[in-house]
Amino acid sequence: IKGEILKPSPLFADTFRYFFMRFRKEESIRKWFLKKAGENSLAFSYPESFKHFKKTLIFLPETKELALPYLENFKKCWSKENVLFVARDSLREVLIHHPLAKALFLTEKEFRFGEPAFENIEKQISEFNPDFCIYLAAPFLPALYLAKRSSAPCRVGFQCESLYPFLNISLQVSSEPEKISLLQKQYGVQNANQ
């Protein structure tokens, strides 16, 4: 395109292997991630899937202020055995001292497709083999790829219709307290402060 300066996508590792991927258009990159994650999805029953979950993969929001309410309100239904968090490295201090401290951390640089740390996280998520995925983070293709690649049949986000099929259930609330309340109902949590 004449006169237009192409900027490399920050979604891929700075290696020759992904050099050309870094200069593709946004829609082309989205299709590539989807193809790479696999286009088929298992059937599930909603909302029954929430109530009988075994293992849950949770992509936490990027900031401590947004992540803490979820961690505090779900102590009774999430445990080290049944939940695995994927979080930015900035949440490491919060999660290290939290009773639900089973988490995978990625720095800004590592959260790019093709980075060795990213591939390691993908492998650990696959080994965890979640039944359910809750996506609380901002839309970010490498993270959405991991959610889809997790093979969890039920992948929930909020107001995320445009992210289908990476996430296949879109709940329609916008504020953090409403999100927490809706998830509590789905999990059968009567009162998180008991």
Side-chain angles (χ1 to χ4, degrees), residues 74-140:
F74 290 94
K75 281 182 188 175
K76 295 194 179 204
C77 61
W78 292 344
S79 70
K80 283 185 182 182
E81 292 75 37
N82 72 2
V83 71
L84 177 64
F85 296 107
V86 177
R88 298 285 179 139
D89 198 51
S90 57
L91 293 175
R92 185 179 298 269
E93 282 301 312
V94 172
L95 285 167
I96 291 290
H97 304 295
H98 197 277
L100 308 174
K102 190 172 179 185
L104 304 172
F105 300 100
L106 286 164
T107 65
E108 197 70 35
K109 182 180 182 232
E110 292 169 338
F111 220 144
R112 299 185 304 176
F113 193 89
E115 292 290 346
F118 185 88
E119 291 171 357
N120 184 44
I121 297 273
E122 183 178 355
K123 181 178 180 241
Q124 289 181 63
I125 288 172
S126 179
E127 289 170 357
F128 182 66
N129 193 25
D131 302 296
F132 196 71
C133 175
I134 300 174
Y135 193 91
L136 302 169
F140 185 64

Side-chain angles (χ1 to χ4, degrees), residues 49-78:
S49 297
F50 269 96
K51 294 179 181 163
H52 305 293
F53 73 96
K54 295 181 181 109
K55 291 183 179 178
T56 303
L57 175 66
I58 300 167
F59 288 82
L60 286 172
E62 293 75 22
T63 67
K64 179 180 176 180
E65 294 73 26
L66 291 174
L68 275 177
Y70 292 101
L71 295 170
E72 293 304 314
N73 282 289
F74 290 94
K75 281 182 188 175
K76 295 194 179 204
C77 61
W78 292 344

